[in-house]
Amino acid sequence: MPPADDEDAVKFCSTCAFSSACLSQGFDKSQLSELHVLVMHVGPFAPGEHIFREGDPFNAIAAVRAGTVKTYVVDSHGREQVQGFFLPGEVIGLNAIHAARYPANAIALDTVTLCRFSFPQMSLLATRLPGLQQHLFRLLSHDIGKASLLAGDFTADERMAAFLIALSRRYAARGYSGSHFNLTMARTDIANYLRLASETVSRVLRRFQDEGLLCIERREVQLLDRMRLEQMARVVLRD
Amino acid sequence: MPPADDEDAVKFCSTCAFSSACLSQGFDKSQLSELHVLVMHVGPFAPGEHIFREGDPFNAIAAVRAGTVKTYVVDSHGREQVQGFFLPGEVIGLNAIHAARYPANAIALDTVTLCRFSFPQMSLLATRLPGLQQHLFRLLSHDIGKASLLAGDFTADERMAAFLIALSRRYAARGYSGSHFNLTMARTDIANYLRLASETVSRVLRRFQDEGLLCIERREVQLLDRMRLEQMARVVLRD
DNA sequence: CGTTCTTTTGATAGCTCTCAAGTCGCGTGG
DNA sequence: CCACGCGACTTGAGAGCTATCAAAAGAACG
């Protein structure tokens, strides 16, 4: 599949996690194209289709171009532990570098397309483009801190508020509405991500709605009292 | 302080997290010395002394040379959240690259000495030594997965067993005894790390001792039934 | 040898999980 | 077009694990 060079590509690249590496490091045309020729557009993946599985050999990282990706492992009780959700512009596969194998499964929650970067080629390019190397270091470093977001002992309310606020900010950062969006994942997925029972997720969302914090119908959420949600989330997100 | 070039330095470097980058990548003498001239030995830090604090500007990563380092943040209730313990040979500061500031406090639990590497200089060197760049990518990638170790919803027993087994393995990997070692941290620190109350930590350790899994007196631990401990820890450590 | 901090031990309460049942939405097929 | 069936979601009641509160015992320090 040849790289698409349409309107959409331009819009996506400006909100992608590599955008600053691609666009705003003062690269000249030839350097820019060197990074762009590494990109392979893959997909679309259908909802429920796996992108990679735990143990698969690692050779590329990928930026989500469209859709939502869920990563998860299955614990010894056969229960799914969701590790993260990846929205358009975010990068999957960074935790696979160490062992050269993917440590988790990745599955498409809706129709997903990706920009795939060969990691060996990207590393090689990074030795010639210090800005790209720095960018990769920062991406990796960022994910170290992100993973400890769930590590604290927080209440169900705090976890849920933090989840919604974080989602809101990520959508807003990519140009979508931060106050009105669709949950692309099931309640069960949210529960497995927040380490709660799905019943607890239902109950908390119901109570948030009763208290006027938000309005939720099916998968459609509208944040009504952002201030109070931010306040609850602050304990988790630390800002 | 000039770099010490004694017996200890040789022994340390062979078990340090940079050892493979320093020693076993087939570098010639000049390349090796290029990495070694970046090293600044700092310390000793006295027990309770801070190595850096949350918000401090980041400019270097450091390998623990001797002693134990604890990293932590203080939550909105004024309670300490321990993020990790770092033993000799392990690297601190990797999560500070992203924001160019340390996101947590680091404190010496006992007498600590460090090997400090200027990160800008190390990055620069990494552009010329692809093996070093790969090594840094792997170190960073490794820590992403490590952070999610505590993220699951595990019982107090599972957490404690996983903590002891992980500690045991890390000591063994660095050439110390894996079955008989000293806890350099207080019960409170363990509790804050595992997200348990310190009372719970005491109770679990007491029960582990009553069941013959280990023998503990003050800070001195001896693992007696490694099999059962490994089995309990398996849920957490996933191996 | 007294003071202070750490650790241990006991009793109670609370948050969330589990189990169970019921409701809703949506695609399928008659 | 509508009934059906399945999965997702919601709602309720009770149990369990761990936190909290309280207090005592023990080690470290000057």
Side-chain angles (χ1 to χ4, degrees):
Chain A
M1 178 182 290
D5 206 8
D6 51 9
E7 289 280 330
D8 182 44
V10 176
K11 180 171 187 299
F12 168 72
C13 285
S14 68
T15 57
C16 159
F18 291 110
S19 59
S20 64
C22 293
L23 303 171
S24 48
Q25 299 280 329
F27 295 157
D28 62 36
K29 271 268 164 56
S30 67
Q31 287 177 322
L32 209 72
S33 63
E34 282 188 289
L35 182 54
H36 278 155
V37 294
L38 291 185
V39 181
M40 289 273 291
H41 287 189
V42 295
F45 296 88
E49 191 176 349
H50 275 83
I51 293 160
F52 52 75
R53 291 178 188 269
E54 187 176 353
D56 283 356
F58 163 81
N59 38 36
I61 59 180
V64 177
R65 185 181 170 76
T68 311
V69 175
K70 172 182 82 172
T71 57
Y72 70 97
V73 294
V74 178
D75 70 17
S76 55
H77 304 303
R79 281 189 302 202
E80 199 174 288
Q81 297 225 10
V82 175
Q83 295 190 336
F85 301 105
F86 297 83
L87 310 183
E90 299 177 341
V91 178
I92 59 177
L94 292 177
N95 56 352
I97 299 171
H98 169 65
R101 295 191 171 279
Y102 293 103
N105 306 283
I107 194 172
L109 293 182
D110 43 19
T111 303
V112 167
T113 56
L114 302 173
C115 290
R116 184 183 179 280
F117 296 82
S118 155
F119 191 70
Q121 286 183 44
M122 199 163 194
S123 300
L124 186 62
L125 184 58
T127 61
R128 287 193 292 116
L129 304 181
L132 177 58
Q133 189 198 62
Q134 280 307 305
H135 201 75
L136 287 169
F137 284 149
R138 276 200 292 269
L139 276 180
L140 281 156
S141 175
H142 181 63
D143 275 20
I144 297 176
K146 209 178 60 178
S148 57
L149 189 146
L150 293 160
D153 60 332
F154 305 111
T155 66
D157 287 19
E158 288 163 349
R159 284 172 194 272
M160 183 58 67
F163 175 71
L164 292 171
I165 290 297
L167 218 49
S168 162
R169 289 181 187 168
R170 287 154 71 194
Y171 276 125
R174 307 303 181 188
Y176 302 96
S177 166
S179 59
H180 188 216
F181 50 88
N182 252 304
L183 298 175
T184 48
M185 65 295 288
R187 298 284 189 276
T188 313
D189 292 330
I190 301 176
N192 290 338
Y193 176 65
L194 298 178
R195 275 55 177 170
L196 298 171
S198 60
E199 295 93 328
T200 303
V201 170
S202 270
R203 277 186 262 266
V204 171
L205 285 176
R206 148 66 66 179
R207 188 156 36 73
F208 279 6
Q209 177 156 267
D210 291 347
E211 291 170 355
L213 297 178
L214 51 78
C215 179
I216 184 168
E217 187 176 338
R218 183 109 185 105
R219 301 268 179 106
E220 196 179 330
V221 193
Q222 191 161 7
L223 305 187
L224 298 177
D225 193 342
R226 200 164 217 295
M227 293 308 297
R228 294 228 333 261
L229 286 171
E230 294 258 13
Q231 192 181 346
M232 277 196 278
R234 193 155 299 143
V235 206
V236 182
L237 302 177
R238 302 182 49 74
D239 50 31
Chain B
M1 179 180 291
D5 206 8
D6 51 9
E7 289 280 329
D8 182 46
V10 176
K11 180 172 188 301
F12 169 72
C13 285
S14 68
T15 56
C16 159
F18 290 109
S19 61
S20 65
C22 292
L23 303 172
S24 47
Q25 298 280 329
F27 295 158
D28 61 36
K29 271 270 165 55
S30 68
Q31 287 177 322
L32 209 71
S33 63
E34 284 188 288
L35 182 55
H36 278 155
V37 295
L38 291 185
V39 181
M40 288 275 289
H41 286 189
V42 295
F45 295 89
E49 193 177 347
H50 274 82
I51 293 160
F52 52 75
R53 290 176 188 272
E54 186 177 354
D56 283 356
F58 163 80
N59 38 38
I61 60 180
V64 177
R65 185 181 172 75
T68 312
V69 175
K70 173 182 82 174
T71 56
Y72 70 96
V73 294
V74 178
D75 71 16
S76 56
H77 303 304
R79 280 189 303 201
E80 199 173 288
Q81 297 226 10
V82 175
Q83 295 192 335
F85 301 105
F86 297 83
L87 309 184
E90 300 178 339
V91 179
I92 58 177
L94 292 176
N95 56 351
I97 299 171
H98 170 65
R101 296 192 170 277
Y102 293 102
N105 306 284
I107 193 171
L109 293 182
D110 43 20
T111 303
V112 167
T113 55
L114 302 173
C115 289
R116 183 183 180 282
F117 296 81
S118 156
F119 191 70
Q121 287 182 45
M122 198 162 195
S123 300
L124 187 61
L125 184 58
T127 61
R128 287 192 292 118
L129 306 181
L132 177 59
Q133 190 196 61
Q134 279 307 305
H135 201 75
L136 287 169
F137 284 149
R138 276 200 292 269
L139 276 179
L140 282 155
S141 175
H142 181 63
D143 275 21
I144 297 175
K146 210 178 57 177
S148 57
L149 188 146
L150 293 160
D153 60 332
F154 305 111
T155 66
D157 287 18
E158 289 164 349
R159 284 172 194 272
M160 181 59 67
F163 175 70
L164 292 171
I165 290 297
L167 218 48
S168 163
R169 289 182 188 168
R170 286 154 73 193
Y171 275 125
R174 307 302 181 189
Y176 303 95
S177 166
S179 60
H180 187 218
F181 50 86
N182 251 305
L183 297 174
T184 48
M185 64 294 286
R187 299 285 189 276
T188 314
D189 292 330
I190 301 176
N192 290 338
Y193 176 64
L194 299 177
R195 275 57 177 166
L196 298 171
S198 60
E199 295 94 327
T200 303
V201 170
S202 271
R203 277 186 262 266
V204 172
L205 286 177
R206 148 67 66 179
R207 189 157 35 75
F208 279 5
Q209 177 155 269
D210 290 349
E211 291 169 356
L213 296 178
L214 51 78
C215 179
I216 185 168
E217 186 176 338
R218 183 101 186 109
R219 302 270 178 102
E220 196 177 330
V221 192
Q222 191 162 6
L223 305 186
L224 297 177
D225 193 341
R226 200 163 216 295
M227 293 307 296
R228 297 235 321 269
L229 286 171
E230 293 258 12
Q231 192 181 346
M232 278 197 278
R234 195 156 296 144
V235 208
V236 182
L237 302 177
R238 301 184 49 74
D239 49 30

PDB file of all heavy atoms in Angstrom, chain A residues 3-34:
ATOM      1  N   PRO A   3       2.076   5.093   0.478  1.00  0.00           N
ATOM      2  CA  PRO A   3       1.658   6.113   1.434  1.00  0.00           C
ATOM      3  C   PRO A   3       0.679   7.093   0.813  1.00  0.00           C
ATOM      4  O   PRO A   3       0.923   7.644  -0.258  1.00  0.00           O
ATOM      5  CB  PRO A   3       2.980   6.805   1.819  1.00  0.00           C
ATOM      6  CG  PRO A   3       3.995   6.349   0.833  1.00  0.00           C
ATOM      7  CD  PRO A   3       3.519   5.051   0.298  1.00  0.00           C
ATOM      8  N   ALA A   4      -0.442   7.250   1.498  1.00  0.00           N
ATOM      9  CA  ALA A   4      -1.440   8.197   0.998  1.00  0.00           C
ATOM     10  C   ALA A   4      -0.952   9.614   1.246  1.00  0.00           C
ATOM     11  O   ALA A   4      -0.399   9.911   2.285  1.00  0.00           O
ATOM     12  CB  ALA A   4      -2.773   7.978   1.712  1.00  0.00           C
ATOM     13  N   ASP A   5      -1.146  10.478   0.296  1.00  0.00           N
ATOM     14  CA  ASP A   5      -0.639  11.844   0.422  1.00  0.00           C
ATOM     15  C   ASP A   5      -1.790  12.829   0.346  1.00  0.00           C
ATOM     16  O   ASP A   5      -1.708  13.873  -0.279  1.00  0.00           O
ATOM     17  CB  ASP A   5       0.395  12.108  -0.676  1.00  0.00           C
ATOM     18  CG  ASP A   5       1.384  13.184  -0.239  1.00  0.00           C
ATOM     19  OD1 ASP A   5       1.321  13.573   0.946  1.00  0.00           O
ATOM     20  OD2 ASP A   5       2.176  13.626  -1.078  1.00  0.00           O
ATOM     21  N   ASP A   6      -2.876  12.474   1.018  1.00  0.00           N
ATOM     22  CA  ASP A   6      -4.100  13.270   0.897  1.00  0.00           C
ATOM     23  C   ASP A   6      -4.228  14.271   2.046  1.00  0.00           C
ATOM     24  O   ASP A   6      -3.377  14.384   2.907  1.00  0.00           O
ATOM     25  CB  ASP A   6      -5.308  12.339   0.880  1.00  0.00           C
ATOM     26  CG  ASP A   6      -5.267  11.375   2.043  1.00  0.00           C
ATOM     27  OD1 ASP A   6      -4.405  11.566   2.930  1.00  0.00           O
ATOM     28  OD2 ASP A   6      -6.085  10.440   2.068  1.00  0.00           O
ATOM     29  N   GLU A   7      -5.309  14.969   2.067  1.00  0.00           N
ATOM     30  CA  GLU A   7      -5.634  15.933   3.121  1.00  0.00           C
ATOM     31  C   GLU A   7      -5.519  15.283   4.503  1.00  0.00           C
ATOM     32  O   GLU A   7      -4.898  15.806   5.409  1.00  0.00           O
ATOM     33  CB  GLU A   7      -7.089  16.416   2.946  1.00  0.00           C
ATOM     34  CG  GLU A   7      -7.302  17.314   1.753  1.00  0.00           C
ATOM     35  CD  GLU A   7      -6.860  18.752   2.043  1.00  0.00           C
ATOM     36  OE1 GLU A   7      -6.943  19.166   3.215  1.00  0.00           O
ATOM     37  OE2 GLU A   7      -6.422  19.433   1.095  1.00  0.00           O
ATOM     38  N   ASP A   8      -6.132  14.134   4.603  1.00  0.00           N
ATOM     39  CA  ASP A   8      -6.168  13.416   5.868  1.00  0.00           C
ATOM     40  C   ASP A   8      -4.766  13.170   6.413  1.00  0.00           C
ATOM     41  O   ASP A   8      -4.516  13.322   7.602  1.00  0.00           O
ATOM     42  CB  ASP A   8      -6.903  12.084   5.682  1.00  0.00           C
ATOM     43  CG  ASP A   8      -7.011  11.331   6.986  1.00  0.00           C
ATOM     44  OD1 ASP A   8      -7.336  11.976   7.999  1.00  0.00           O
ATOM     45  OD2 ASP A   8      -6.760  10.114   6.973  1.00  0.00           O
ATOM     46  N   ALA A   9      -3.848  12.809   5.530  1.00  0.00           N
ATOM     47  CA  ALA A   9      -2.481  12.531   5.962  1.00  0.00           C
ATOM     48  C   ALA A   9      -1.855  13.760   6.598  1.00  0.00           C
ATOM     49  O   ALA A   9      -1.205  13.673   7.641  1.00  0.00           O
ATOM     50  CB  ALA A   9      -1.637  12.062   4.783  1.00  0.00           C
ATOM     51  N   VAL A  10      -2.068  14.891   5.989  1.00  0.00           N
ATOM     52  CA  VAL A  10      -1.520  16.130   6.521  1.00  0.00           C
ATOM     53  C   VAL A  10      -2.106  16.421   7.898  1.00  0.00           C
ATOM     54  O   VAL A  10      -1.397  16.709   8.856  1.00  0.00           O
ATOM     55  CB  VAL A  10      -1.806  17.311   5.567  1.00  0.00           C
ATOM     56  CG1 VAL A  10      -1.305  18.609   6.190  1.00  0.00           C
ATOM     57  CG2 VAL A  10      -1.154  17.062   4.225  1.00  0.00           C
ATOM     58  N   LYS A  11      -3.418  16.299   8.000  1.00  0.00           N
ATOM     59  CA  LYS A  11      -4.090  16.573   9.264  1.00  0.00           C
ATOM     60  C   LYS A  11      -3.608  15.605  10.342  1.00  0.00           C
ATOM     61  O   LYS A  11      -3.318  15.996  11.467  1.00  0.00           O
ATOM     62  CB  LYS A  11      -5.606  16.433   9.088  1.00  0.00           C
ATOM     63  CG  LYS A  11      -6.390  16.704  10.378  1.00  0.00           C
ATOM     64  CD  LYS A  11      -7.889  16.767  10.088  1.00  0.00           C
ATOM     65  CE  LYS A  11      -8.671  17.212  11.314  1.00  0.00           C
ATOM     66  NZ  LYS A  11      -8.533  16.303  12.445  1.00  0.00           N
ATOM     67  N   PHE A  12      -3.496  14.330   9.970  1.00  0.00           N
ATOM     68  CA  PHE A  12      -3.059  13.353  10.967  1.00  0.00           C
ATOM     69  C   PHE A  12      -1.644  13.645  11.434  1.00  0.00           C
ATOM     70  O   PHE A  12      -1.367  13.697  12.623  1.00  0.00           O
ATOM     71  CB  PHE A  12      -3.125  11.926  10.419  1.00  0.00           C
ATOM     72  CG  PHE A  12      -2.424  10.959  11.315  1.00  0.00           C
ATOM     73  CD1 PHE A  12      -2.988  10.609  12.533  1.00  0.00           C
ATOM     74  CD2 PHE A  12      -1.183  10.444  11.000  1.00  0.00           C
ATOM     75  CE1 PHE A  12      -2.342   9.754  13.399  1.00  0.00           C
ATOM     76  CE2 PHE A  12      -0.529   9.586  11.856  1.00  0.00           C
ATOM     77  CZ  PHE A  12      -1.113   9.239  13.057  1.00  0.00           C
ATOM     78  N   CYS A  13      -0.740  13.837  10.510  1.00  0.00           N
ATOM     79  CA  CYS A  13       0.660  14.004  10.881  1.00  0.00           C
ATOM     80  C   CYS A  13       0.862  15.170  11.838  1.00  0.00           C
ATOM     81  O   CYS A  13       1.754  15.151  12.680  1.00  0.00           O
ATOM     82  CB  CYS A  13       1.531  14.166   9.632  1.00  0.00           C
ATOM     83  SG  CYS A  13       1.770  12.593   8.764  1.00  0.00           S
ATOM     84  N   SER A  14       0.014  16.191  11.739  1.00  0.00           N
ATOM     85  CA  SER A  14       0.199  17.354  12.599  1.00  0.00           C
ATOM     86  C   SER A  14      -0.216  17.067  14.029  1.00  0.00           C
ATOM     87  O   SER A  14       0.144  17.802  14.942  1.00  0.00           O
ATOM     88  CB  SER A  14      -0.586  18.548  12.048  1.00  0.00           C
ATOM     89  OG  SER A  14      -1.972  18.293  12.164  1.00  0.00           O
ATOM     90  N   THR A  15      -0.980  15.989  14.256  1.00  0.00           N
ATOM     91  CA  THR A  15      -1.401  15.665  15.621  1.00  0.00           C
ATOM     92  C   THR A  15      -0.799  14.349  16.101  1.00  0.00           C
ATOM     93  O   THR A  15      -1.095  13.895  17.193  1.00  0.00           O
ATOM     94  CB  THR A  15      -2.937  15.569  15.707  1.00  0.00           C
ATOM     95  OG1 THR A  15      -3.374  14.599  14.768  1.00  0.00           O
ATOM     96  CG2 THR A  15      -3.584  16.900  15.430  1.00  0.00           C
ATOM     97  N   CYS A  16       0.070  13.747  15.281  1.00  0.00           N
ATOM     98  CA  CYS A  16       0.681  12.464  15.619  1.00  0.00           C
ATOM     99  C   CYS A  16       1.797  12.678  16.631  1.00  0.00           C
ATOM    100  O   CYS A  16       2.355  13.762  16.759  1.00  0.00           O
ATOM    101  CB  CYS A  16       1.213  11.822  14.339  1.00  0.00           C
ATOM    102  SG  CYS A  16       2.478  10.577  14.566  1.00  0.00           S
ATOM    103  N   ALA A  17       2.130  11.605  17.362  1.00  0.00           N
ATOM    104  CA  ALA A  17       3.171  11.690  18.377  1.00  0.00           C
ATOM    105  C   ALA A  17       4.536  11.990  17.779  1.00  0.00           C
ATOM    106  O   ALA A  17       5.446  12.417  18.471  1.00  0.00           O
ATOM    107  CB  ALA A  17       3.232  10.394  19.168  1.00  0.00           C
ATOM    108  N   PHE A  18       4.677  11.772  16.486  1.00  0.00           N
ATOM    109  CA  PHE A  18       5.957  12.046  15.848  1.00  0.00           C
ATOM    110  C   PHE A  18       5.984  13.416  15.191  1.00  0.00           C
ATOM    111  O   PHE A  18       6.955  13.769  14.545  1.00  0.00           O
ATOM    112  CB  PHE A  18       6.270  10.981  14.792  1.00  0.00           C
ATOM    113  CG  PHE A  18       6.562   9.636  15.388  1.00  0.00           C
ATOM    114  CD1 PHE A  18       5.681   8.595  15.246  1.00  0.00           C
ATOM    115  CD2 PHE A  18       7.730   9.443  16.119  1.00  0.00           C
ATOM    116  CE1 PHE A  18       5.956   7.364  15.813  1.00  0.00           C
ATOM    117  CE2 PHE A  18       8.002   8.213  16.686  1.00  0.00           C
ATOM    118  CZ  PHE A  18       7.111   7.169  16.530  1.00  0.00           C
ATOM    119  N   SER A  19       4.876  14.151  15.370  1.00  0.00           N
ATOM    120  CA  SER A  19       4.748  15.393  14.616  1.00  0.00           C
ATOM    121  C   SER A  19       5.937  16.308  14.840  1.00  0.00           C
ATOM    122  O   SER A  19       6.507  16.836  13.884  1.00  0.00           O
ATOM    123  CB  SER A  19       3.456  16.116  14.985  1.00  0.00           C
ATOM    124  OG  SER A  19       3.443  16.405  16.366  1.00  0.00           O
ATOM    125  N   SER A  20       6.337  16.474  16.090  1.00  0.00           N
ATOM    126  CA  SER A  20       7.440  17.414  16.321  1.00  0.00           C
ATOM    127  C   SER A  20       8.728  16.874  15.723  1.00  0.00           C
ATOM    128  O   SER A  20       9.570  17.636  15.251  1.00  0.00           O
ATOM    129  CB  SER A  20       7.600  17.704  17.812  1.00  0.00           C
ATOM    130  OG  SER A  20       7.964  16.544  18.499  1.00  0.00           O
ATOM    131  N   ALA A  21       8.885  15.558  15.736  1.00  0.00           N
ATOM    132  CA  ALA A  21      10.062  14.978  15.096  1.00  0.00           C
ATOM    133  C   ALA A  21       9.984  15.163  13.583  1.00  0.00           C
ATOM    134  O   ALA A  21      10.985  15.397  12.920  1.00  0.00           O
ATOM    135  CB  ALA A  21      10.178  13.497  15.433  1.00  0.00           C
ATOM    136  N   CYS A  22       8.760  15.041  13.054  1.00  0.00           N
ATOM    137  CA  CYS A  22       8.590  15.124  11.621  1.00  0.00           C
ATOM    138  C   CYS A  22       8.641  16.560  11.125  1.00  0.00           C
ATOM    139  O   CYS A  22       9.208  16.849  10.077  1.00  0.00           O
ATOM    140  CB  CYS A  22       7.246  14.527  11.186  1.00  0.00           C
ATOM    141  SG  CYS A  22       7.108  12.760  11.414  1.00  0.00           S
ATOM    142  N   LEU A  23       8.016  17.449  11.886  1.00  0.00           N
ATOM    143  CA  LEU A  23       7.702  18.753  11.304  1.00  0.00           C
ATOM    144  C   LEU A  23       8.446  19.933  11.911  1.00  0.00           C
ATOM    145  O   LEU A  23       8.796  20.859  11.206  1.00  0.00           O
ATOM    146  CB  LEU A  23       6.189  19.015  11.446  1.00  0.00           C
ATOM    147  CG  LEU A  23       5.280  17.948  10.815  1.00  0.00           C
ATOM    148  CD1 LEU A  23       3.835  18.195  11.194  1.00  0.00           C
ATOM    149  CD2 LEU A  23       5.447  17.951   9.310  1.00  0.00           C
ATOM    150  N   SER A  24       8.694  19.888  13.224  1.00  0.00           N
ATOM    151  CA  SER A  24       9.092  21.147  13.852  1.00  0.00           C
ATOM    152  C   SER A  24      10.487  21.100  14.470  1.00  0.00           C
ATOM    153  O   SER A  24      10.757  21.737  15.456  1.00  0.00           O
ATOM    154  CB  SER A  24       8.067  21.526  14.923  1.00  0.00           C
ATOM    155  OG  SER A  24       7.793  20.416  15.742  1.00  0.00           O
ATOM    156  N   GLN A  25      11.377  20.332  13.885  1.00  0.00           N
ATOM    157  CA  GLN A  25      12.726  20.303  14.409  1.00  0.00           C
ATOM    158  C   GLN A  25      13.691  21.025  13.487  1.00  0.00           C
ATOM    159  O   GLN A  25      14.907  20.905  13.629  1.00  0.00           O
ATOM    160  CB  GLN A  25      13.206  18.857  14.604  1.00  0.00           C
ATOM    161  CG  GLN A  25      12.386  18.070  15.582  1.00  0.00           C
ATOM    162  CD  GLN A  25      12.783  18.391  17.015  1.00  0.00           C
ATOM    163  OE1 GLN A  25      13.933  18.701  17.285  1.00  0.00           O
ATOM    164  NE2 GLN A  25      11.838  18.325  17.927  1.00  0.00           N
ATOM    165  N   GLY A  26      13.133  21.759  12.564  1.00  0.00           N
ATOM    166  CA  GLY A  26      13.997  22.482  11.653  1.00  0.00           C
ATOM    167  C   GLY A  26      14.725  21.575  10.664  1.00  0.00           C
ATOM    168  O   GLY A  26      15.799  21.904  10.188  1.00  0.00           O
ATOM    169  N   PHE A  27      14.139  20.439  10.366  1.00  0.00           N
ATOM    170  CA  PHE A  27      14.753  19.565   9.366  1.00  0.00           C
ATOM    171  C   PHE A  27      14.580  20.178   7.988  1.00  0.00           C
ATOM    172  O   PHE A  27      13.582  20.836   7.706  1.00  0.00           O
ATOM    173  CB  PHE A  27      14.073  18.188   9.345  1.00  0.00           C
ATOM    174  CG  PHE A  27      14.260  17.422  10.607  1.00  0.00           C
ATOM    175  CD1 PHE A  27      13.373  16.424  10.946  1.00  0.00           C
ATOM    176  CD2 PHE A  27      15.319  17.693  11.465  1.00  0.00           C
ATOM    177  CE1 PHE A  27      13.540  15.702  12.112  1.00  0.00           C
ATOM    178  CE2 PHE A  27      15.489  16.977  12.624  1.00  0.00           C
ATOM    179  CZ  PHE A  27      14.600  15.979  12.948  1.00  0.00           C
ATOM    180  N   ASP A  28      15.513  19.893   7.152  1.00  0.00           N
ATOM    181  CA  ASP A  28      15.304  20.301   5.778  1.00  0.00           C
ATOM    182  C   ASP A  28      14.499  19.219   5.063  1.00  0.00           C
ATOM    183  O   ASP A  28      14.258  18.145   5.599  1.00  0.00           O
ATOM    184  CB  ASP A  28      16.642  20.580   5.071  1.00  0.00           C
ATOM    185  CG  ASP A  28      17.527  19.355   5.006  1.00  0.00           C
ATOM    186  OD1 ASP A  28      16.996  18.230   4.835  1.00  0.00           O
ATOM    187  OD2 ASP A  28      18.752  19.519   5.137  1.00  0.00           O
ATOM    188  N   LYS A  29      14.092  19.520   3.861  1.00  0.00           N
ATOM    189  CA  LYS A  29      13.214  18.643   3.087  1.00  0.00           C
ATOM    190  C   LYS A  29      13.714  17.205   3.004  1.00  0.00           C
ATOM    191  O   LYS A  29      12.958  16.260   3.170  1.00  0.00           O
ATOM    192  CB  LYS A  29      13.056  19.198   1.659  1.00  0.00           C
ATOM    193  CG  LYS A  29      11.906  20.180   1.502  1.00  0.00           C
ATOM    194  CD  LYS A  29      10.621  19.463   1.076  1.00  0.00           C
ATOM    195  CE  LYS A  29       9.374  20.312   1.286  1.00  0.00           C
ATOM    196  NZ  LYS A  29       9.438  21.605   0.605  1.00  0.00           N
ATOM    197  N   SER A  30      15.027  17.051   2.777  1.00  0.00           N
ATOM    198  CA  SER A  30      15.545  15.705   2.570  1.00  0.00           C
ATOM    199  C   SER A  30      15.463  14.890   3.862  1.00  0.00           C
ATOM    200  O   SER A  30      15.135  13.705   3.836  1.00  0.00           O
ATOM    201  CB  SER A  30      16.999  15.769   2.087  1.00  0.00           C
ATOM    202  OG  SER A  30      17.825  16.272   3.113  1.00  0.00           O
ATOM    203  N   GLN A  31      15.735  15.546   5.004  1.00  0.00           N
ATOM    204  CA  GLN A  31      15.654  14.832   6.266  1.00  0.00           C
ATOM    205  C   GLN A  31      14.218  14.404   6.563  1.00  0.00           C
ATOM    206  O   GLN A  31      13.950  13.316   7.057  1.00  0.00           O
ATOM    207  CB  GLN A  31      16.179  15.722   7.407  1.00  0.00           C
ATOM    208  CG  GLN A  31      17.695  15.880   7.390  1.00  0.00           C
ATOM    209  CD  GLN A  31      18.179  16.817   8.469  1.00  0.00           C
ATOM    210  OE1 GLN A  31      17.547  17.831   8.758  1.00  0.00           O
ATOM    211  NE2 GLN A  31      19.305  16.482   9.053  1.00  0.00           N
ATOM    212  N   LEU A  32      13.288  15.329   6.281  1.00  0.00           N
ATOM    213  CA  LEU A  32      11.887  15.038   6.511  1.00  0.00           C
ATOM    214  C   LEU A  32      11.457  13.825   5.706  1.00  0.00           C
ATOM    215  O   LEU A  32      10.798  12.911   6.225  1.00  0.00           O
ATOM    216  CB  LEU A  32      11.048  16.254   6.098  1.00  0.00           C
ATOM    217  CG  LEU A  32       9.733  16.419   6.849  1.00  0.00           C
ATOM    218  CD1 LEU A  32      10.028  16.859   8.267  1.00  0.00           C
ATOM    219  CD2 LEU A  32       8.865  17.446   6.153  1.00  0.00           C
ATOM    220  N   SER A  33      11.876  13.803   4.481  1.00  0.00           N
ATOM    221  CA  SER A  33      11.443  12.699   3.636  1.00  0.00           C
ATOM    222  C   SER A  33      12.088  11.395   4.084  1.00  0.00           C
ATOM    223  O   SER A  33      11.515  10.328   3.925  1.00  0.00           O
ATOM    224  CB  SER A  33      11.794  12.987   2.169  1.00  0.00           C
ATOM    225  OG  SER A  33      13.197  13.070   2.026  1.00  0.00           O
ATOM    226  N   GLU A  34      13.274  11.484   4.698  1.00  0.00           N
ATOM    227  CA  GLU A  34      13.915  10.271   5.194  1.00  0.00           C
ATOM    228  C   GLU A  34      13.058   9.587   6.250  1.00  0.00           C
ATOM    229  O   GLU A  34      12.965   8.371   6.325  1.00  0.00           O
ATOM    230  CB  GLU A  34      15.288  10.610   5.807  1.00  0.00           C
ATOM    231  CG  GLU A  34      16.362  10.848   4.786  1.00  0.00           C
ATOM    232  CD  GLU A  34      17.720  10.994   5.443  1.00  0.00           C
ATOM    233  OE1 GLU A  34      17.955  12.021   6.103  1.00  0.00           O
ATOM    234  OE2 GLU A  34      18.527  10.057   5.305  1.00  0.00           O
TER     235      GLU A  34
END
